[in-house]
Amino acid sequence: MTTTEKTGGIQYWHKIVVLLCLGWTVMWIYRPVLTAIFPEVQQTIGPQSNTELGLIASCYFFAYTAMQIPAGILVDRFGKKAVVIPGFLLFTIAALIIGNAHSIMMIYVGSLLAGLGCGSYYGSAWSLSAENIPSQHRGFASAIINTGSALGMGISLLATSFLVKSWGMPWEYMLYIIAALLLCLVAGFALIIKETQKQKQNQSQSSSAKEAVTSADEPNAKHRFFSSQMVASYIMYFATCYGYYMIVSWLPNFLETERGFTGGNIGSASSLVAFAAIPGALIISKISDKYQNKRLFFIIVLELIAAATLLTTVQATTITLLLGGLIFYGLFGKLAVEPILISHVADTAPKTNYGTSFGVFNFFGMSSSVIAPPLTGYLADLTGTKMTGFYVAIGILIIATLLFFLINMRKHITN
C-alpha cells in the first residue's frame, strides 16, 4: 500500500499519524503517573525515601534508553509490527505488575519492563512516519504525532489530580486503565500497520544490497548512521532533550522551593510547557513544511529561542515574566523543534535503515533523561540552588546549536 492509496476516503498515512499520536499519548499518560501519586502509592508499599522513589523513574529510563538501538535494528530486520506489538504487550504486563505491587521491588521490576516495552516504539513509530508520510507534509504530521506526548502528560496530571486525589479512586486503577488503553493500541497496530512489499524486500536484503539501494553516489551509505550530519543531529537532540527533561523533572520543585508557588498553582504552572507546545509545534511545523529548504535555519533559530526562554524563566523577578518564559519555552522548545529535527534526520538517514537510524538518534536524546535529573539534583546540593541546573542546560543547548550550525555549514560548503 502506498502513501497515496485511500481506504474509505482516508489515506493510509493519515491513519498512521492518528495511530502514532495515540501511542505517544498513552506512553505519556504512564510516564508521570507514579510521580503524581507517590503519597498514595506509599500507603500501599510503605514509606520510601526520595532516593528509592527516584529509582522508579531511573529503572524506566535506563531500560528505555538501552532498548533504542537494539529495537531499531530489529525494526529494520523484522518490520515494525513484529517489534512494536510484543513491546506494547510487555508494556501492558508491566502496568499490571505495578498496579498489583505490594513492594517497591515489584514497582522497580514493572518499571524496568515498561521501559523495555516502550523502547520498542520510537524506531517503529518514526520509521513508519518516514516511509509513509509525504515529504511535503512530514513536519506538520510529525508535529501532530508529537502532540500525543503533551496530551498524555496533561491527561495524566489532570486524571491523577481529580480521580485519585479529589475523588478517592484507588491509585491502582490508573495502571489498569493504562493497561486497557495499551491493549486497544495493540489491536490498532495489528489492524492498521501494513508492511509494503518493498519494505519486506528491504528487510530481507543483505547489507551490500541495502547499501546499493540507498544511493548510488554514496558508497559508504551503510556507515551514514555516523556521518557528520547525523552526528550533528544526535548532539542537537541530546541538548534539546536535556533541557526538556531537566524541566520535566525539576520545574515543580523549583517553583515550590525557590519561587514560592503552592498547591494547585505548581501543577498549573508546570503544565504550561506541555499545553503551550501543542499550538507551537503545529504552527511552526506547518511553516517549516512550506519552506523545506530552510529546515536547518528553523532548527537553529528555535534552539536559540529555547535557550533564551529558559534564561528568562530562571532569572525572572516577577511571576508574570516567569510564566511568560514557560509559555514561550513550550511554544518554541523541544516539542516545536523535534518534528523538524525528525524530518531532517529522515532526509539524511540511510533509507533502508530508518529503524536503526531513529533508534540511534533517540538513544542520544534519551541519554539526557538519565543524566539531567540526577546531575541537576547534584548541582543543587553543591551550590544550594537549582538555578545552576538551568544554567547548565542553557549552556549545553547553546554549545550544541553552535556545533550543529558549524557541522552543517561545513557539509554545505564541501558540497
Side-chain angles (χ1 to χ4, degrees):
M1 184 177 292
T2 65
T3 56
T4 58
E5 182 178 340
K6 291 187 178 182
T7 303
I10 301 176
Q11 294 187 42
Y12 174 59
W13 70 269
H14 292 161
K15 296 180 181 180
I16 290 297
V17 169
V18 173
L19 183 65
L20 298 182
C21 178
L22 291 174
W24 284 118
T25 300
V26 177
M27 282 178 59
W28 275 90
I29 290 175
Y30 168 79
R31 280 185 176 177
V33 71
L34 291 178
T35 304
I37 53 176
F38 273 158
E40 289 76 13
V41 173
Q42 290 186 93
Q43 292 176 13
T44 300
I45 65 173
Q48 309 293 327
S49 69
N50 288 328
T51 300
E52 289 170 323
L53 293 175
L55 282 174
I56 296 173
S58 295
C59 287
Y60 173 86
F61 282 117
F62 271 118
Y64 180 87
T65 303
M67 191 63 182
Q68 291 309 298
I69 296 176
I73 294 172
L74 291 172
V75 166
D76 287 332
R77 184 169 180 80
F78 299 108
K80 294 80 176 170
K81 291 174 72 169
V83 176
V84 73
I85 290 177
F88 267 56
L89 287 175
L90 180 61
F91 188 10
T92 305
I93 294 170
L96 293 174
I97 289 174
I98 295 172
N100 287 279
H102 294 287
S103 68
I104 190 70
M105 187 56 64
M106 283 186 69
I107 294 182
Y108 288 157
V109 171
S111 297
L112 188 68
L113 294 177
L116 292 173
C118 290
S120 70
Y121 191 65
Y122 197 95
S124 301
W126 294 117
S127 294
L128 278 168
S129 168
E131 290 172 357
N132 293 287
I133 298 173
S135 177
Q136 65 271 26
H137 301 298
R138 190 173 286 155
F140 185 65
S142 297
I144 294 175
I145 293 169
N146 243 18
T147 58
S149 60
L151 286 172
M153 182 188 295
I155 291 170
S156 183
L157 293 172
L158 292 174
T160 51
S161 176
F162 284 100
L163 296 180
V164 178
K165 294 185 179 295
S166 297
W167 299 348
M169 186 183 81
W171 68 268
E172 297 92 341
Y173 287 12
M174 283 298 302
L175 280 302
Y176 300 152
I177 291 170
I178 291 170
L181 292 174
L182 287 169
L183 290 177
C184 293
L185 273 175
V186 168
F189 294 144
L191 293 172
I192 294 174
I193 297 175
K194 301 184 184 300
E195 305 283 4
T196 66
Q197 189 61 35
K198 181 179 178 181
Q199 291 161 0
K200 291 177 181 177
Q201 290 171 353
N202 284 341
Q203 288 154 17
S204 64
Q205 286 174 333
S206 65
S207 297
S208 59
K210 287 182 180 180
E211 184 177 339
V213 169
T214 302
S215 178
D217 61 351
E218 293 181 74
N220 294 318
K222 66 181 180 181
H223 301 300
R224 285 180 63 204
F225 303 123
F226 294 100
S227 68
S228 60
Q229 284 183 297
M230 291 294 286
V231 169
S233 298
Y234 301 153
I235 294 170
M236 193 73 266
Y237 195 47
F238 174 89
T240 302
C241 290
Y242 185 97
Y244 183 75
Y245 284 105
M246 186 272 297
I247 286 284
V248 169
S249 301
W250 286 104
L251 179 62
N253 186 270
F254 171 76
L255 293 176
E256 182 177 13
T257 60
E258 300 195 30
R259 289 296 181 266
F261 282 64
T262 58
N265 291 331
I266 299 171
S268 299
S270 300
S271 65
L272 287 174
V273 172
F275 288 115
I278 296 175
L282 294 175
I283 294 170
I284 292 170
S285 61
K286 191 68 174 178
I287 296 172
S288 74
D289 278 342
K290 185 176 180 180
Y291 302 99
Q292 293 182 48
N293 60 331
K294 301 292 185 182
R295 276 178 179 155
L296 291 177
F297 172 78
F298 279 107
I299 292 169
I300 292 166
V301 170
L302 288 172
E303 298 288 11
L304 292 176
I305 292 176
T309 56
L310 280 179
L311 185 61
T312 299
T313 299
V314 75
Q315 290 192 332
T317 55
T318 65
I319 298 298
T320 301
L321 194 58
L322 187 151
L323 295 179
L326 292 176
I327 291 171
F328 277 99
Y329 178 75
L331 285 171
F332 300 108
K334 174 184 179 288
L335 295 183
V337 75
E338 189 172 27
I340 308 175
L341 261 175
I342 288 168
S343 296
H344 176 67
V345 171
D347 290 339
T348 56
K351 302 300 182 286
T352 52
N353 296 99
Y354 272 135
T356 307
S357 299
F358 282 112
V360 175
F361 176 70
N362 199 39
F363 172 83
F364 281 95
M366 290 308 300
S367 295
S368 67
S369 70
V370 178
I371 298 171
L375 179 57
T376 302
Y378 171 76
L379 291 172
D381 290 338
L382 193 65
T383 63
T385 175
K386 297 176 187 70
M387 292 173 63
T388 310
F390 279 81
Y391 291 133
V392 169
I394 293 166
I396 289 174
L397 195 53
I398 292 173
I399 293 170
T401 304
L402 179 61
L403 289 173
F404 183 81
F405 171 76
L406 292 175
I407 292 172
N408 279 282
M409 286 304 99
R410 179 175 176 270
K411 180 72 175 178
H412 178 75
I413 291 171
T414 56
N415 287 344

